Amino acid sequence: MTVTEKEASPATRRLTTSKAMVEGIAQEMERDPSVFVLGEDVGAYGGIFSSTTGLLERFGPSRVMDTPISETAFIGLATGAATEGMRPIVELMFVDFFGVAMDQIYNHMAKIHFESGGNVKVPVVLMTAVGGGYSDGAQHSQCLWGTFAHLPGMKVVVPSNPVDAKGLMIAAIRDDNPVVYMFHKGIMGLPWMAPNPRALAPVPEEAYEVPIGSAAVVRQGNDVTIATLSLSVHHSLDIAEELSAEGIECEVIDLRTLVPLDRATILSSVAKTGRLLVVDEDYQSFGLSGELAAIVAETDPRLLKVPFMRVAVPDVPIPYSRPLEYAVLPTKTRIAAAVRKLMG
Amino acid sequence: MTVTEKEASPATRRLTTSKAMVEGIAQEMERDPSVFVLGEDVGAYGGIFSSTTGLLERFGPSRVMDTPISETAFIGLATGAATEGMRPIVELMFVDFFGVAMDQIYNHMAKIHFESGGNVKVPVVLMTAVGGGYSDGAQHSQCLWGTFAHLPGMKVVVPSNPVDAKGLMIAAIRDDNPVVYMFHKGIMGLPWMAPNPRALAPVPEEAYEVPIGSAAVVRQGNDVTIATLSLSVHHSLDIAEELSAEGIECEVIDLRTLVPLDRATILSSVAKTGRLLVVDEDYQSFGLSGELAAIVAETDPRLLKVPFMRVAVPDVPIPYSRPLEYAVLPTKTRIAAAVRKLMG
Amino acid sequence: MDQKIKIELYRTMVLIRSFEEAILRDYHADKKPAWDIGAGLIPGEMHLSAGQEPVAAGICANLSPGDGITATHRPHHLAIAHGVSLKALAAEIFGRETGLGKGRGGHMHLFDPASHFSCSGIIAEGYPPALGQAFAFKWKKTPNVIVAVTGEGAANQGAFHESLNLAALWKLPVVFVVEDNDWAISVPRHASTAIASNAERAAAYGIPGERIEDNNVEAIWRSAKTAIDRARSGEGPSLLEIHTVRLWGHFEGDAQAYRDDLDAARAHDPLPAYEAQLISEGFLDSAQAEAIKEESAAEVEAALSFAKASPLPDAADALRYVFA
Amino acid sequence: MDQKIKIELYRTMVLIRSFEEAILRDYHADKKPAWDIGAGLIPGEMHLSAGQEPVAAGICANLSPGDGITATHRPHHLAIAHGVSLKALAAEIFGRETGLGKGRGGHMHLFDPASHFSCSGIIAEGYPPALGQAFAFKWKKTPNVIVAVTGEGAANQGAFHESLNLAALWKLPVVFVVEDNDWAISVPRHASTAIASNAERAAAYGIPGERIEDNNVEAIWRSAKTAIDRARSGEGPSLLEIHTVRLWGHFEGDAQAYRDDLDAARAHDPLPAYEAQLISEGFLDSAQAEAIKEESAAEVEAALSFAKASPLPDAADALRYVFA
Ligand SMILES: Cc1ncc(C[n+]2csc(CCOP(=O)(O)OP(=O)(O)O)c2C)c(N)n1
Ligand SMILES: Cc1ncc(C[n+]2csc(CCOP(=O)(O)OP(=O)(O)O)c2C)c(N)n1
Ligand SMILES: [Mg+2]
Ligand SMILES: [Mg+2]
């Protein structure tokens, strides 16, 4: 959307997540002429969720291309261009639309390197908007990172804030593998969505990478490990602060990358706290929350002093109507209740 | 394929899995004129994996329809026909091809009932072949049940033998919901694949249902719970017999249905054995094996006397070359090694 | 064309516009001062159809009971012209338990089994289920048809192609309609489609194809009649591309900075144009036009009042309707 | 057409047929008595291209170094005509570490970056990556082209449509080729495609379309030349549908009970036909033909021997090459 956005003040260099992402893309486009951007409404519009704002003006239509609504063709195009040495950044406007192009994604983009015995590289960044909370209904509100993480051959990164958004974008562009880059609409700092204070933050000017595969402990605590990602990091941090007043100290892990997954950070936190809550805006079953349980259970189930808990979307399509949607989203209320339950 | 198949002897009524499936379909087609079958090569060919053999001859081309290679169009057609009161059985030839039609599957077939507030029913059976082990490579050997089970709105059934194949097919056809019916090529009893002795078994003549949502304990044992499905049930049973000679008694659970999942059967077995091994021919991470770990961990991690284990495809595309493929499949060797390790 | 039909077309167009204007008003009413897409009585994306009324009116006037229609993310005009209950439609948009989908669906997911109306928010993916409805009609031997609608942007999606081929091959009673409003969000048609008229794509399936210019409701009515009659008589599908106009943003909140045709578009508002035509033809006078507008407005306000007075769904029911 | 080209076309066709016959032999050799698809030195599905040699020979004779080709699940003829190493191809089919994909890919997944050759086992889904290769050629300002091939069954898949539209829109240097061998496994073309010639579908994208009848390698060569020259000179894509013949089963093990045209198909074997033509035209005599066949057979046997003598991959390396 294009409801006017304020310019970031150069003095403080606080950027929204979307501007940080765009800055990362722009710096790589400056550095490497083989980087280009394509997708629906990435040109004049600047990306429906401002993931490409200003790039057309800066780099011109030969490097920033609006496409027809032909996800199979243009995502496949990105794959083919990557096999010939280019470094495309291709946007799938909403992750919910993956089904029209999934064959290109998981049977081609993700597998060609392997099938070629390592002879062909496929450095594509597939960036896509995820998440709900603004009543966009069952076909425009999903996270689906579990679906991508389950299928081999793609790295999957999910930033939660401006600094990681820029650093993971740069790391993704430089990576020689396909990287699925999933950004939550609610953390972009868009002026037309419910504001999130942490969606605006100081961001280094220079190009830098946030390493793919490393989680961040964004809050230390000895009582409960909350492993989470994306928008839910913020809800979890808010609840952690709130419960701190009650004497409950949560350790909050921002997973940042699902593939490869930073098992060590998760395990050492659980070893300390003995309590694990996964907060996940994706569907509950057969996904991220299960994988984290498995990691603990296959290391040592006795690490868990109390049963594992998860706050996720309870295997129901995302409802349109607000009371229903907020009943299935991983809200602060649900997170707080789960932490309290873990503490007995 | 059409390498000649032997006719089942009517005296003993032992049927292959494929013939049992077809018998279930035929009986429902007899009973209910709104049932019809469509897909690629389901007519004269009888289904690449013999899932529709003889149906064209018996019911004619108005009820058994070969389609163009247009999965989006014909799976969508099934959904639309179901919303108007028909009961289509639609075949996706290999589950590996889901990516060309996933939008119709998970954004439409699976969600219309919900989005309509329950006003529209979508009784489709989506049947599809899964599995590897015969060097069909990365695009024709996957199981992917974790992918389907993760997305709400579809039931997911995975028979492992002739009796369940028929009963789950009939239950799926009669169910008012979309049911994804996943049959492993290696259990169909095809004369042109490595034979599986349990792919031929006595099957009741009359129509019957195997209830969707109930697992079967196919072998009792006190030492290790092996939770598995599809072809891996047979490997697990073979290993269970073998290890019994060493005094290790495995309880083997054939999950049969992933959605809804029979949590009670899994939990009561683990409560008894204290050891859980998941054997899964799908990719390891973010899938079935994780979900089973979560079920135990969220009930009581102390049920596990030793760390949980899984034998699955280790997040690598299925390789073509036999030594590589068998290194990543959940082979008997890997299962036996895991059970021994669980027993310490 | 007789007067009755002309007035009916006009009335339908007015009703649609009244509805869209009322939704526009209520959608923005409580999102200020900090405009938040998720806030207010109507949250979420909102794709309104102002300018495209002639398509809906012209097509649906040719439909009979039992016929169906499949729309897109921009579905209101078609739902209204097809006779979907205004109250249930409005209630769904307001997310109420009395809505078409009991508030579960929202404005891109409207299902009215009684009138075989449906829609989908995924581009071109409404076509394939429409084939199945047509297939079921054929099987039931009812002489019904399905009209399947997408935008011109959708004509480049795989589902479009597969659906036309299968429908043509199986001679299904479907009429495919492409609403060409020149834009797919910010992408103009010439930047997305390799040819000037999608009607030419009909040849790729051996079916009749026609492009209707000028957003002319009577021309649309006539062409739709031919195509619908053809489908009804078992001769199979047709493809109609209708050049229409998107008067407002792609969705509400769209500042349309990319758009250079806004003045021209506004000058082509089909409503005053058709009103003027009917008046000049002597089929309508200003008083009658006023009366129709007032009736429509009243009907719309009644529907919105009903919606607003209806209960929101109970959060305790959030897990219902996943399975039947 | 000069003699050199004619002999070259013939030689390519012979080489392909020799290869496919040798693979056929080795594929079935060790699957007896109980034929098991997964057994033997060559396991898995095997889609051979006997009958379709003219397509590969006629097209690839027009390609220059740096040009690429994208094939399907039935890729050998195109790989061979394009000059992919016969040894590396054979080794991949035998699943060896010396294969094109070190045994990871198999016969449906052949990648030769040196010659820009690739293929895919998913119907029509080889087209989109080919667009990207063409895009990269354009960006690098090399005057190269990509030929993207599918079967006639694939022309009903969404990826076909999206790719043609995008390539036409962006004037990418691609030539789209449809190999019409009358069958998609057991489904005859008339039961899958609403029109008689996919060449007509070119009009849906505003690009040239041509159907080439009779599996005639010289006609194919000429039409391919026109289309490839056009793409190379920046004028954008073309669509060629080539009527060819599938002499054998869809895959090995296919009893083809559904097929009523087998005798007719065998009578249209393009190899003896072209040989007879060249002999009657005086460009070839039987002794030369024999010599070419013997050379081809020798080359093929050398490749197969290389493959069989090569090591299988080490199971310990099964997890390699997921990520670069
Ligand atoms: C498969 C898919 N891709 C992208 C979108 C996002 N999207 C929603 S509407 C739209 C533009 C549609 O243009 P058109 O078909 O012309 O319809 P219009 O909006 O003009 O009515 C896009 C790209 C989507 N909903 N589905
Ligand atoms: C998307 C997809 N659907 C189905 C298949 C299974 N399949 C493999 S080959 C084939 C027939 C292809 O026919 P055609 O395109 O004419 O090529 P041919 O085999 O005749 O060379 C089918 C249906 C597939 N590989 N991919
Ligand atoms: Mg449009
Ligand atoms: Mg064919």
Side-chain angles (χ1 to χ4, degrees):
Chain A
M1 294 209 176
T2 50
V3 174
T4 336
E5 302 186 23
K6 291 188 215 75
E7 270 307 300
S9 138
T12 60
R13 275 286 306 173
R14 285 155 60 88
L15 296 185
T16 60
T17 305
S18 77
K19 286 194 204 302
M21 247 176 90
V22 172
E23 183 168 279
I25 296 173
Q27 288 175 335
E28 290 304 293
M29 288 182 78
E30 287 291 357
R31 202 181 55 80
D32 182 348
S34 71
V35 177
F36 68 103
V37 177
L38 75 169
E40 292 154 10
D41 305 285
V42 299
Y45 200 107
I48 295 300
F49 301 104
S50 299
S51 55
T52 59
T53 310
L55 293 176
L56 174 68
E57 293 72 6
R58 193 151 155 204
F59 298 100
S62 69
R63 293 183 69 195
V64 182
M65 276 152 296
D66 279 332
T67 61
I69 310 173
S70 306
E71 286 86 354
T72 288
F74 74 74
I75 294 176
L77 187 151
T79 297
T83 66
E84 295 289 348
M86 300 188 75
R87 303 189 90 83
I89 302 170
V90 59
E91 179 163 282
L92 175 67
M93 190 189 287
F94 287 69
V95 74
D96 312 69
F97 309 156
F98 84 90
V100 301
M102 194 56 174
D103 186 72
Q104 280 303 319
I105 299 169
Y106 91 109
N107 264 339
H108 293 84
M109 185 184 87
K111 287 182 183 157
I112 286 175
H113 181 70
F114 181 83
E115 291 167 340
S116 75
N119 289 325
V120 179
K121 292 201 179 97
V122 191
V124 177
V125 178
L126 175 67
M127 68 178 177
T128 187
V130 306
Y134 61 103
S135 295
D136 218 1
Q139 294 178 339
H140 289 75
S141 303
Q142 301 167 95
C143 285
L144 298 179
W145 39 61
T147 300
F148 288 84
H150 180 54
L151 300 168
M154 304 172 260
K155 298 189 177 178
V156 179
V157 302
V158 192
S160 73
N161 61 59
V163 172
D164 288 350
K166 177 173 171 181
L168 283 170
M169 176 56 78
I170 292 175
I173 296 170
R174 294 182 186 172
D175 200 292
D176 274 343
N177 297 287
V179 179
V180 182
Y181 181 106
M182 309 180 92
F183 58 89
H184 198 294
K185 303 150 201 170
I187 59 131
M188 291 295 269
L190 302 172
W192 47 274
M193 279 213 174
N196 176 334
R198 296 192 201 83
L200 185 69
V203 175
E205 306 230 7
E206 73 283 4
Y208 60 92
E209 293 184 44
V210 167
I212 294 178
S214 97
V217 179
V218 290
R219 186 183 193 282
Q220 310 259 350
N222 287 320
D223 297 325
V224 173
T225 300
I226 304 182
T228 184
L229 75 176
S230 194
L231 180 63
S232 300
V233 170
H234 304 285
H235 299 333
S236 301
L237 283 171
D238 291 345
I239 288 305
E241 290 311 319
E242 210 176 295
L243 295 180
S244 178
E246 299 176 22
I248 302 175
E249 295 301 341
C250 295
E251 178 139 311
V252 180
I253 300 177
D254 181 348
L255 295 168
R256 299 199 295 194
T257 302
L258 294 186
V259 179
L261 189 61
D262 184 348
R263 298 167 63 106
T265 298
I266 300 156
L267 286 168
S268 71
S269 177
V270 175
K272 176 173 70 173
T273 63
R275 297 183 184 86
L276 175 60
L277 170 67
V278 177
V279 181
D280 179 9
E281 197 182 318
D282 194 4
Y283 302 116
Q284 172 166 312
S285 297
F286 302 91
L288 168 62
S289 58
E291 185 60 20
L292 297 194
I295 285 173
V296 176
E298 72 191 357
T299 304
D300 180 1
R302 308 275 145 160
L303 291 180
L304 295 173
K305 292 191 288 208
V306 298
F308 160 76
M309 285 190 75
R310 41 188 174 174
V311 170
V313 176
D315 301 329
V316 49
I318 312 291
Y320 165 65
S321 189
R322 197 181 293 121
L324 298 173
E325 184 180 18
Y326 276 83
V328 308
L329 287 175
T331 51
K332 293 186 196 178
T333 318
R334 290 178 65 205
I335 299 168
V339 173
R340 288 207 178 84
K341 186 149 179 226
L342 282 167
M343 293 304 292
Chain B
M1 293 210 178
T2 51
V3 174
T4 333
E5 302 188 22
K6 292 188 215 77
E7 268 308 298
S9 140
T12 59
R13 275 285 306 170
R14 283 155 62 89
L15 296 185
T16 59
T17 305
S18 79
K19 285 193 204 304
M21 250 175 87
V22 172
E23 184 169 277
I25 295 173
Q27 287 174 338
E28 288 305 291
M29 289 182 78
E30 287 291 359
R31 200 181 58 79
D32 181 348
S34 71
V35 177
F36 68 102
V37 177
L38 75 169
E40 291 153 12
D41 304 286
V42 299
Y45 200 107
I48 296 299
F49 301 104
S50 298
S51 55
T52 59
T53 310
L55 292 176
L56 174 66
E57 293 72 5
R58 194 151 153 203
F59 297 99
S62 69
R63 294 182 71 194
V64 182
M65 274 152 298
D66 279 334
T67 60
I69 310 173
S70 307
E71 285 86 356
T72 287
F74 73 75
I75 293 176
L77 187 150
T79 296
T83 67
E84 295 288 346
M86 300 189 74
R87 304 189 90 83
I89 302 170
V90 59
E91 179 162 283
L92 175 66
M93 190 189 285
F94 287 68
V95 74
D96 311 70
F97 310 157
F98 84 91
V100 300
M102 194 57 175
D103 186 72
Q104 280 301 319
I105 297 169
Y106 90 109
N107 263 339
H108 293 85
M109 186 184 87
K111 287 182 183 157
I112 287 175
H113 180 70
F114 181 83
E115 290 167 339
S116 75
N119 288 325
V120 179
K121 293 200 178 98
V122 191
V124 177
V125 179
L126 175 67
M127 66 179 180
T128 187
V130 305
Y134 61 103
S135 296
D136 218 0
Q139 294 178 339
H140 290 74
S141 303
Q142 300 166 97
C143 286
L144 298 179
W145 39 60
T147 300
F148 288 84
H150 180 55
L151 301 168
M154 306 171 259
K155 298 188 177 179
V156 178
V157 302
V158 192
S160 73
N161 61 59
V163 172
D164 288 350
K166 178 173 171 180
L168 282 171
M169 177 55 78
I170 291 176
I173 296 170
R174 293 181 186 172
D175 200 292
D176 274 343
N177 297 288
V179 180
V180 181
Y181 181 107
M182 309 180 93
F183 59 88
H184 198 293
K185 303 149 200 171
I187 60 133
M188 291 295 269
L190 302 171
W192 46 274
M193 278 213 176
N196 175 334
R198 297 191 200 83
L200 184 70
V203 175
E205 305 229 8
E206 73 283 1
Y208 60 92
E209 293 183 43
V210 167
I212 294 176
S214 98
V217 178
V218 291
R219 186 183 194 282
Q220 311 260 349
N222 288 320
D223 297 325
V224 173
T225 299
I226 305 182
T228 184
L229 76 175
S230 195
L231 180 65
S232 301
V233 171
H234 305 284
H235 299 333
S236 300
L237 283 171
D238 291 346
I239 288 304
E241 289 312 318
E242 211 175 295
L243 295 180
S244 179
E246 300 178 20
I248 302 174
E249 295 301 340
C250 295
E251 178 140 310
V252 180
I253 299 178
D254 181 348
L255 295 168
R256 299 199 297 195
T257 302
L258 294 188
V259 179
L261 188 62
D262 183 349
R263 297 167 64 106
T265 298
I266 300 156
L267 286 168
S268 70
S269 178
V270 175
K272 179 173 71 175
T273 62
R275 296 183 185 87
L276 176 59
L277 170 67
V278 177
V279 181
D280 180 8
E281 197 181 318
D282 193 4
Y283 301 116
Q284 171 165 312
S285 296
F286 303 90
L288 168 62
S289 59
E291 185 60 20
L292 298 193
I295 285 173
V296 176
E298 72 192 355
T299 303
D300 181 0
R302 307 276 146 159
L303 292 179
L304 295 172
K305 292 190 288 210
V306 299
F308 160 78
M309 285 190 75
R310 40 188 175 174
V311 170
V313 176
D315 302 329
V316 49
I318 312 291
Y320 164 67
S321 188
R322 197 181 291 122
L324 298 172
E325 184 180 18
Y326 276 83
V328 307
L329 287 174
T331 51
K332 293 187 197 181
T333 318
R334 290 179 65 204
I335 298 168
V339 173
R340 286 207 179 87
K341 183 148 181 230
L342 281 167
M343 293 304 293
Chain C
M1 189 181 284
D2 81 9
Q3 177 169 14
K4 216 168 132 266
I5 297 175
K6 284 176 183 258
I7 298 293
E8 216 32 61
L9 294 174
Y10 175 71
R11 189 188 299 277
T12 303
M13 287 168 58
V14 169
L15 182 63
I16 295 168
R17 181 67 61 86
S18 300
F19 188 85
E20 298 294 61
E21 282 173 344
I23 295 291
L24 181 76
R25 178 198 65 208
D26 279 9
Y27 181 77
H28 288 287
D30 50 1
K31 288 195 172 52
K32 295 176 178 157
W35 197 91
D36 171 359
I37 188 175
L41 277 179
I42 309 177
E45 284 182 63
M46 181 52 60
H47 312 82
L48 297 174
S49 62
Q52 302 184 196
E53 299 87 354
V55 179
I59 290 167
C60 295
N62 287 291
L63 295 179
S64 307
D67 291 343
I69 191 156
T70 292
T72 67
H73 56 287
R74 195 183 304 289
H76 301 170
H77 55 320
L78 294 159
I80 293 168
H82 191 53
V84 170
S85 150
L86 228 52
K87 287 184 173 162
L89 171 63
E92 187 62 23
I93 295 170
F94 281 82
R96 306 299 162 129
E97 190 68 31
T98 53
L100 285 168
K102 305 197 178 97
R104 273 71 181 171
H107 113 105
M108 286 189 272
H109 309 292
L110 306 168
F111 295 89
D112 182 30
S115 71
H116 306 273
F117 183 88
S118 65
C119 61
S120 168
I122 309 295
I123 295 305
E125 296 281 339
Y127 271 13
L131 304 184
Q133 294 178 275
F135 183 89
F137 293 164
K138 233 181 142 169
W139 175 74
K140 291 179 195 165
K141 299 197 168 54
T142 59
N144 286 115
V145 305
I146 284 279
V147 178
V149 182
T150 64
E152 91 295 338
N156 308 305
Q157 179 69 239
F160 175 89
H161 172 69
E162 294 189 12
S163 300
L164 267 71
N165 182 62
L166 189 54
L169 189 71
W170 290 2
K171 278 199 186 306
L172 297 175
V174 195
V175 175
F176 296 105
V177 173
V178 174
E179 288 188 276
D180 176 10
N181 61 7
D182 291 331
W183 294 95
I185 311 186
S186 71
V187 180
R189 134 171 226 137
H190 66 78
S192 75
T193 308
I195 53 171
S197 162
N198 278 306
E200 293 171 40
R201 291 191 166 170
Y205 315 101
I207 62 174
E210 190 189 355
R211 181 167 163 98
I212 301 147
E213 297 291 354
D214 291 331
N215 211 14
N216 180 321
V217 68
E218 297 188 2
I220 296 168
W221 184 90
R222 276 189 297 271
S223 298
K225 183 165 174 23
T226 306
I228 289 168
D229 288 351
R230 182 184 154 89
R232 205 184 294 292
S233 65
E235 291 169 73
S238 309
L239 173 63
L240 302 180
E241 178 162 80
I242 300 171
H243 195 191
T244 184
V245 65
R246 194 186 89 198
L247 287 177
W248 301 345
H250 170 72
F251 35 28
E252 291 312 309
D254 175 6
Q256 304 198 73
Y258 53 81
R259 203 165 162 182
D260 49 12
D261 67 338
L262 262 181
D263 290 340
R266 286 187 193 120
H268 279 88
D269 186 334
L271 250 155
Y274 194 49
E275 184 177 307
Q277 179 193 325
L278 292 191
I279 290 175
S280 86
E281 288 175 349
F283 290 117
L284 188 76
D285 63 31
S286 312
Q288 287 169 312
E290 260 342 283
I292 288 173
K293 286 179 197 164
E294 275 166 30
E295 279 162 35
S296 297
E299 203 186 327
V300 164
E301 292 308 331
L304 268 62
S305 299
F306 168 83
K308 291 182 222 179
S310 294
L312 284 163
D314 186 343
D317 289 335
L319 304 189
R320 284 186 72 179
Y321 308 121
V322 180
F323 289 117
Chain D
M1 190 181 284
D2 80 13
Q3 176 168 14
K4 212 167 134 267
I5 296 175
K6 284 176 183 257
I7 298 292
E8 214 34 59
L9 294 174
Y10 174 71
R11 189 188 300 277
T12 303
M13 288 169 58
V14 168
L15 181 63
I16 294 168
R17 181 67 60 87
S18 300
F19 188 85
E20 297 295 61
E21 282 175 344
I23 296 291
L24 181 76
R25 178 198 67 207
D26 279 9
Y27 181 77
H28 288 287
D30 50 1
K31 288 196 171 52
K32 293 175 179 162
W35 197 91
D36 171 359
I37 188 175
L41 275 180
I42 309 177
E45 284 182 62
M46 181 50 62
H47 312 82
L48 298 174
S49 62
Q52 302 183 196
E53 299 87 353
V55 179
I59 290 168
C60 295
N62 287 292
L63 294 180
S64 308
D67 291 343
I69 191 156
T70 293
T72 67
H73 57 285
R74 196 182 305 289
H76 302 171
H77 55 319
L78 294 160
I80 293 167
H82 191 53
V84 170
S85 149
L86 227 52
K87 288 185 172 161
L89 171 62
E92 188 61 25
I93 295 171
F94 281 81
R96 305 300 163 130
E97 191 67 31
T98 53
L100 285 169
K102 307 199 177 96
R104 273 71 180 170
H107 112 103
M108 287 188 271
H109 310 292
L110 306 169
F111 296 90
D112 181 30
S115 70
H116 307 273
F117 183 88
S118 66
C119 61
S120 167
I122 309 294
I123 296 304
E125 296 280 340
Y127 271 13
L131 304 185
Q133 294 178 275
F135 183 90
F137 293 166
K138 232 180 140 169
W139 175 75
K140 291 179 197 165
K141 298 197 168 59
T142 61
N144 286 114
V145 305
I146 283 279
V147 178
V149 182
T150 65
E152 91 296 338
N156 307 305
Q157 180 69 238
F160 176 89
H161 172 70
E162 293 188 13
S163 300
L164 267 70
N165 182 62
L166 189 54
L169 189 70
W170 289 3
K171 279 200 186 304
L172 297 175
V174 195
V175 175
F176 295 106
V177 173
V178 174
E179 288 188 276
D180 176 11
N181 62 6
D182 291 331
W183 294 95
I185 311 188
S186 70
V187 179
R189 137 175 222 134
H190 66 79
S192 75
T193 307
I195 53 171
S197 162
N198 278 306
E200 293 171 41
R201 292 190 166 169
Y205 315 100
I207 61 174
E210 189 189 357
R211 183 169 162 96
I212 301 147
E213 298 291 354
D214 292 329
N215 210 14
N216 181 320
V217 66
E218 297 187 2
I220 295 166
W221 183 89
R222 276 189 297 271
S223 298
K225 182 166 174 25
T226 307
I228 289 167
D229 287 351
R230 182 184 154 88
R232 204 183 297 290
S233 65
E235 291 169 74
S238 311
L239 173 63
L240 302 180
E241 177 163 79
I242 300 171
H243 194 190
T244 184
V245 65
R246 194 186 89 198
L247 287 177
W248 302 343
H250 170 71
F251 35 27
E252 291 312 309
D254 175 5
Q256 304 198 73
Y258 53 82
R259 200 162 165 186
D260 50 12
D261 67 335
L262 263 180
D263 291 340
R266 286 188 192 119
H268 279 87
D269 186 335
L271 250 156
Y274 194 51
E275 182 177 309
Q277 179 193 323
L278 293 191
I279 289 175
S280 85
E281 289 175 349
F283 290 118
L284 187 76
D285 62 31
S286 312
Q288 287 169 313
E290 262 340 285
I292 288 174
K293 286 180 196 164
E294 276 166 30
E295 278 160 36
S296 297
E299 202 186 329
V300 164
E301 293 309 330
L304 268 63
S305 299
F306 168 81
K308 291 183 223 181
S310 293
L312 284 164
D314 186 341
D317 288 336
L319 305 190
R320 284 186 72 177
Y321 307 123
V322 180
F323 290 116

